[in-house]
Each structure stands twice: as C-alpha cells, then as structure tokens.
Amino acid sequence: GNSVTQMEGPVTLSEEAFLTINCTYTATGYPSLFWYVQYPGEGLQLLLKATKADDKGSNKGFEATYRKETTSFHLEKGSVQVSDSAVYFCALGYTGNQFYFGTGTSLTVIP
Amino acid sequence: DGGITQSPKYLFRKEGQNVTLSCEQNLNHDAMYWYRQDPGQGLRLIYYSQIVNDFQKGDIAEGYSVSREKKESFPLTVTSAQKNPTAFYLCASSITVPNEKLFFGSGTQLSVL
C-alpha cells in the first residue's frame, strides 16, 4: 500500500539553525511528493513539490529532493526564522487523486 | 480571488444532532475532499469526489455523509452516529489529473456541547 512516515516532533530550534525533517514513503507506481505547511488555526498550504525521481523542490529557502533509491523526501532549510514555526506535513499524491499524508512535525523556532 | 471557503469557522454540536459543514470552491476543480485532523495527528480522509454526483468513502467515512450536486460545493454532514466528532475539518480540492497539488480551505473546528 501507500504510506508516508515522518519524524516525530516536536522540534525546537534556535533562530538561524539548520533544519531537517525526515520523510520516507512507501508507494507503488510513480507518485509526486509534497511538503505542506500549516500555521495555527489554518488550512494547509503547499510549500514545495517534486514530481519525479531526483527532482528537487524548493521554496522560501526550503528544499527537498525526491530520492527513489532511499524512498525519501527530507525537508531542509539552512537557516530557520521565527516565522517558520508551524506544522509540516509530508505527502504523496497518486494516480486517481488519492493523497496520503504523514502525521505532521511541529516546529518551533525560538529567537 | 479564487479559493476554497469553509464555513462556519467554529461549530458546536449537541448530543444526537446532525450538523453540516459547508465547503465552496471557485477554482473550477473537479475533485474535492474532506479530511479530519485531530490534535497532534495527521490528516485522515473522510470522503472524496472526483466528479459531480459521484463520491467515494475514505478511510474514516462511518458517521459522515456528503453530497456533490454542484461542482463548486461539497458539504459534509456529521451525523449523530459519529460518536467522537470533535476535530478540525479540512476541505480541499484539486484538478483531476494525477499528482496535482491540493488546495485547502481554512478549516472548521467542530466541538461537542
């Protein structure tokens, strides 16, 4: 079956620290991979996506590379800011419009 | 501006009562979805619809019902059969091609009185 596994949180970092949030997936076929971000009391917003193996998605300083050999899509940012505090969800989107989400990782960045 | 509108933002349900959550989109998307989010947990799919007048159960459909009479609208009814309805409900939509991203509404928080 299809599933997404994310590292558990919460994660607390100091401003300007390096961020990695791990995400691995199980899928048949060739899904696209996504990172979504959720701010308190709001819906999810797309952060970045990659549609095929070795693609790198990037946005607002965040990056993730679609690694088929390790079935991973880890999220990274070189220098986090207080405004990056949110919950981050890894997801895969599959033929037939089924989407599968990880459980989310809460990030808090302290000044 | 195009987007997805969910209403109300907060909703309270009494014991034995059915309540309906509204979801409207003006993105001209064919596919629409309802997800449930519990504190500290991921999103679980309740129902989804790929075209008007058609919908499929997701992983946790018991105690919920939907309709898709118009392309723009996908209301969710939480029935009295749903014994633990307190959660944050998210509506989403997408173009019906493989691997396209989801657009989300801002959610409805449902609580039991």
Side-chain angles (χ1 to χ4, degrees), chain A residues 4-20:
Chain A
V4 176
T5 302
Q6 279 182 247
M7 67 182 281
E8 292 189 15
V11 174
T12 302
L13 294 173
S14 297
E15 204 164 23
E16 300 183 3
F18 184 86
L19 169 71
T20 300

Side-chain angles (χ1 to χ4, degrees), chain B residues 61-78:
Chain B
E62 186 173 350
Y64 299 97
S65 65
V66 293
S67 63
R68 188 84 187 278
E69 297 176 1
K70 297 187 300 182
K71 188 175 185 177
E72 303 79 18
S73 178
F74 191 42
L76 173 74
T77 297
V78 183

Side-chain angles (χ1 to χ4, degrees), chain B residues 63-98:
Chain B
Y64 299 97
S65 65
V66 293
S67 63
R68 188 84 187 278
E69 297 176 1
K70 297 187 300 182
K71 188 175 185 177
E72 303 79 18
S73 178
F74 191 42
L76 173 74
T77 297
V78 183
T79 75
S80 57
Q82 172 50 247
K83 298 305 179 189
N84 184 24
T86 297
F88 191 55
Y89 291 86
L90 287 163
C91 181
S93 71
S94 70
I95 302 170
T96 42
V97 296

Side-chain angles (χ1 to χ4, degrees), chain B residues 10-49:
Chain B
Y10 300 96
L11 186 59
F12 297 90
R13 192 190 90 166
K14 295 180 181 179
E15 196 76 32
Q17 186 182 40
N18 293 351
V19 293
T20 297
L21 284 62
S22 171
C23 178
E24 304 277 333
Q25 56 99 356
N26 61 3
L27 298 167
N28 200 33
H29 286 170
D30 287 309
M32 297 186 74
Y33 311 78
W34 275 106
Y35 288 93
R36 170 177 171 145
Q37 185 179 22
D38 293 283
Q41 298 189 28
L43 279 67
R44 292 185 288 171
L45 183 64
I46 305 172
Y47 270 97
Y48 67 103
S49 168

